Amino acid sequence: MIRRLPSVLNGEDVVMNVTRWLTLLFLTMAGAAQAQVAEGPLTLERAVRTALDRNPQLRAARFGLEEAQEQVSEAWSSVFPSLDLSTTYTRNVSPAVNFLPANIFDPTADPNELISVQFGADNTWQLSVNLEQPLFNAAAFIGVGAAGRFEALQQESVRGQAHEVVTRVRESYYGLLLAQEQARLSENSVRRVRASLEETRALNRGGLASDYDVLRLEVELANLEPALRQATNAVAQGRRQLGIDLGLDPEATEALEVAGSLADLDLNDPAGNDPANRELLAFVGVPLGDAPEAGGLAELVATRSDVRQLELTESLRHTEMRLEQVEYMPRLSLFGTYAINSQQNGDPDFFAEPRAYSRNIGVQLTLPIFQGFRRDARIDQKRAALRQAETQTELARSQGVAEVRSLIERADEARDRAAGQGLAVQQATRGFEIARAQYREGLGSQLELTDAEVALRQSEFNYAQAVYDFLVARARLDAAAGRVPLVEDRMGGRDDA
């Protein structure tokens, strides 16, 4: 690369240009990962779109779909005509010699006399063109149908993989928000305890607080600081996990920020939230408040990917059984051959005279009669596989209905719990303010202040946990119902090549 730089550049210019080139190469390799960080906090929708484009597991599933599509093209080849050209050249170092009675050539010769006759010349040339067109082959047409069903199964497999990826990204996103909330609450607790410790030390110097009060706050602060470090590490771990799910460069995940706040999210008033939290609530496949009743669960479960995959597998098994059954049917094909033969002695001369030509066409009928009960056994195998697929499909539908019902109940429970914890946060905040004011006036004990701080921290985290449980339940409900946001839009109309 340095040799391509203009010769007028001195050593410093060379180093600067190489440095610029390496920097540009690094930025190009970082690609969309760096762009995500540069654009500020990552929204949930942008995170999902990034995962649909970059997730390694989803890309591998798309390659599997491409393989299935090529198998369909391969299956069609059994319906189209086949055309083959073959040519050979043989140099007879010692041409074959046979012995014949001499009287064949000379009637007056002794009947017992034999003469040697050479068959073939020094050089032999052969060329043939063979054409075959299937006229009737039921197995070929059913094989094309089987390949098409396999392609549909792979297409649904990609859809199911996309559902898993998006659901995992949503859970990682919510988990990072919860970890950030835990870190924030721990930081607030450390700040409040430090402030109380400074006030208590001042009161102790004035004789209004005991040494035990100071010692108790110092112990509590010593217990909170490791918890803050642990919460900070959990945030870093959550960023790395989200970066893996998004398929981002590891360097970009360290500065990854997500939009939204579980502590400020109001489940009962979606419109009253800020834009980031409104997006968290709006990013659902099954709309809020539109959860189906028990009678509509079976219809809802029919759209989930694993059920569809089992239904397509069931259809594929039926086609495979039909493929074995049609082996009893005859096969009819048209064939034609065009051939050129040439022989010569001496030095090789490509297809020199004399040459002979042959042309023929015909129809070939093949009727299978008996193959030792092999076909019957294979048909029974495919029939058993079909029954197994039907049983698995019914089981998946029943399990899907139970899962959807449980997730609806879990989401409702989390919503109710969040409402109760919201009131608890308000009361705990008021209680801490009262306890701190009383402690400053000398009317309350340090123990009451500590208990009020612990109650406030716990109630705030419980609220964030309830909101997190609600969002996770909704994400899993979308996957269980087969209505994961953005997947259907991204599956159609984009080139995955």
Side-chain angles (χ1 to χ4, degrees):
M1 188 65 188
I2 295 177
R3 285 189 296 233
R4 295 185 182 180
L5 295 175
S7 59
V8 297
L9 293 178
N10 56 30
E12 183 179 354
D13 292 333
V14 170
V15 173
M16 291 180 62
N17 280 276
V18 172
T19 302
R20 293 192 188 100
W21 182 82
L22 292 175
T23 302
L24 179 60
L25 177 63
F26 174 77
L27 292 176
T28 302
M29 293 176 61
Q34 298 290 351
Q36 293 288 353
V37 177
E39 293 176 5
L42 184 68
T43 63
L44 179 57
E45 180 176 349
R46 189 149 52 92
V48 170
R49 293 185 183 277
T50 302
L52 290 175
D53 288 334
R54 299 175 59 91
N55 185 268
Q57 293 179 341
L58 190 53
R59 294 178 64 186
R62 287 174 180 146
F63 288 131
L65 175 60
E66 291 181 8
E67 180 183 4
Q69 291 171 342
E70 295 303 322
Q71 289 179 354
V72 173
S73 300
E74 179 184 358
W76 274 106
S77 65
S78 61
V79 179
F80 296 133
S82 61
L83 182 65
D84 300 315
L85 184 147
S86 64
T87 181
T88 60
Y89 163 71
T90 304
R91 175 67 179 185
N92 295 313
V93 179
S94 297
V97 175
N98 286 332
F99 294 93
L100 300 177
N103 58 11
I104 294 179
F105 304 99
D106 184 6
T108 63
D110 185 355
N112 295 323
E113 182 182 358
L114 299 176
I115 60 173
S116 61
V117 178
Q118 176 180 323
F119 286 87
D122 294 338
N123 304 296
T124 302
W125 310 84
Q126 293 180 340
L127 182 145
S128 64
V129 179
N130 300 303
L131 172 67
E132 183 176 0
Q133 170 61 62
L135 299 179
F136 177 78
N137 187 355
F141 290 99
I142 294 180
V144 171
R149 286 172 173 80
F150 181 71
E151 179 187 2
L153 177 59
Q154 290 300 110
Q155 180 74 31
E156 186 59 38
S157 178
V158 174
R159 177 175 175 265
Q161 187 66 53
H163 283 187
E164 293 181 8
V165 168
V166 172
T167 303
R168 188 166 60 248
V169 166
R170 294 172 69 181
E171 292 185 9
S172 298
Y173 192 98
Y174 301 146
L176 180 55
L177 287 177
L178 183 63
Q180 290 179 343
E181 190 63 28
Q182 177 67 34
R184 184 187 68 84
L185 294 176
S186 298
E187 185 177 0
N188 289 343
S189 294
V190 169
R191 177 179 50 81
R192 287 193 293 260
V193 171
R194 282 176 179 170
S196 298
L197 178 59
E198 293 300 325
E199 294 177 358
T200 303
R201 284 173 176 170
L203 293 175
N204 177 259
R205 288 191 294 267
L208 299 178
S210 66
D211 294 340
Y212 176 76
D213 293 337
V214 176
L215 180 61
R216 185 179 181 87
L217 286 174
E218 289 176 345
V219 171
E220 183 178 0
L221 181 61
N223 292 331
L224 286 175
E225 287 177 341
L228 175 60
R229 177 63 180 274
Q230 184 179 8
T232 303
N233 291 340
V235 172
Q237 182 179 355
R239 286 172 177 164
R240 287 191 288 268
Q241 181 60 50
L242 181 59
I244 292 174
D245 294 333
L246 299 182
L248 299 182
D249 186 88
E251 297 296 332
T253 61
E254 299 300 326
L256 190 63
E257 296 292 340
V258 292
S261 173
L262 299 183
D264 299 330
L265 196 149
D266 189 351
L267 299 179
N268 295 323
D269 185 18
N273 292 283
D274 58 27
N277 284 342
R278 283 201 301 269
E279 180 177 333
L280 292 179
L281 293 178
F283 197 83
V284 292
V286 180
L288 293 172
D290 192 29
E293 298 295 334
L297 292 180
E299 181 180 354
L300 184 62
V301 167
T303 61
R304 58 186 287 158
S305 181
D306 59 344
V307 173
R308 285 187 175 181
Q309 290 183 49
L310 288 172
E311 291 174 347
L312 290 171
T313 301
E314 181 180 333
S315 177
L316 180 61
R317 296 292 177 264
H318 184 269
T319 303
E320 291 174 348
M321 185 182 68
R322 289 286 300 153
L323 189 60
E324 295 295 336
Q325 290 174 338
V326 298
E327 288 295 325
Y328 283 103
M329 302 183 67
R331 294 187 295 272
L332 183 65
S333 60
L334 173 70
F335 67 89
T337 303
Y338 176 79
I340 303 176
N341 296 311
S342 175
Q343 294 187 6
Q344 65 168 125
N345 291 316
D347 294 333
D349 187 5
F350 185 75
F351 279 95
E353 295 288 349
R355 289 192 298 268
Y357 300 88
S358 64
R359 307 172 185 84
N360 59 74
I361 60 173
V363 178
Q364 180 180 8
L365 176 65
T366 303
L367 180 63
I369 297 178
F370 180 72
Q371 294 183 354
F373 305 106
R374 179 181 65 86
R375 286 191 296 266
D376 290 339
R378 292 180 63 88
I379 291 174
D380 292 339
Q381 293 174 23
K382 299 302 180 181
R383 183 177 290 109
L386 174 59
R387 298 294 179 263
Q388 182 184 27
E390 292 173 346
T391 303
Q392 291 175 343
T393 303
E394 290 299 323
L395 177 61
R397 291 195 184 101
S398 300
Q399 291 177 338
V401 170
E403 182 181 3
V404 169
R405 182 180 288 110
S406 298
L407 288 171
I408 291 175
E409 294 171 351
R410 188 180 304 175
D412 291 340
E413 182 272 333
R415 180 196 291 270
D416 295 339
R417 179 155 44 92
Q421 290 298 328
L423 296 176
V425 170
Q426 296 177 5
Q427 294 173 351
T429 302
R430 179 58 179 164
F432 177 76
E433 293 173 351
I434 294 174
R436 183 170 58 180
Q438 290 178 346
Y439 183 72
R440 288 175 177 175
E441 298 296 331
L443 301 178
S445 65
Q446 186 271 334
L447 179 60
E448 293 176 345
L449 179 61
T450 302
D451 292 342
E453 195 282 329
V454 172
L456 176 58
R457 181 175 72 247
Q458 188 62 44
S459 61
E460 289 178 331
F461 180 76
N462 288 343
Y463 178 79
Q465 181 70 53
V467 174
Y468 167 81
D469 292 342
F470 173 80
L471 294 176
V472 169
R474 294 297 303 188
R476 294 177 181 175
L477 175 60
D478 291 341
R483 298 185 181 183
V484 178
L486 293 183
V487 171
E488 308 303 330
D489 295 338
R490 302 292 282 185
M491 287 287 292
R494 80 180 296 269
D495 186 8
D496 298 327

